[in-house]
Amino acid sequence: MRFVFLALAIWGAIHPMYYFLQWFRENGFDLYAMTQAWHANAASSGLVWDLTIAAIALTLWIMAEVISRRAWINLIAIPATFCIGVSCGLPLYLFLRSRY
């Protein structure tokens, strides 16, 4: 399972980033405009909030386990979650966590 999590983390980094980079090529590097596009309608706003809440829950879980296990390298999953997405951060954390 460990390498399935790694494969999902890589896929979760590459696939969403393809769309983000495509959007930046078309609209320039404007984070404000991107966040406005995320809230273009109720469905996309719901998805944004769903992923935001999942990212916060994942972050709290990572921090709690890092404090108890002292596996500091696992903290790398937090910036992966917020800079790339839950689709990368969660499987990356599961990959890192599964080594012990």
Side-chain angles (χ1 to χ4, degrees), residues 1-10 90-99:
M1 281 301 293
R2 185 162 198 253
F3 292 103
V4 171
F5 292 141
L6 179 60
L8 288 170
I10 292 168
L90 176 58
L92 176 62
Y93 179 67
L94 293 173
F95 167 75
L96 294 169
R97 186 179 187 271
S98 66
R99 73 174 183 270

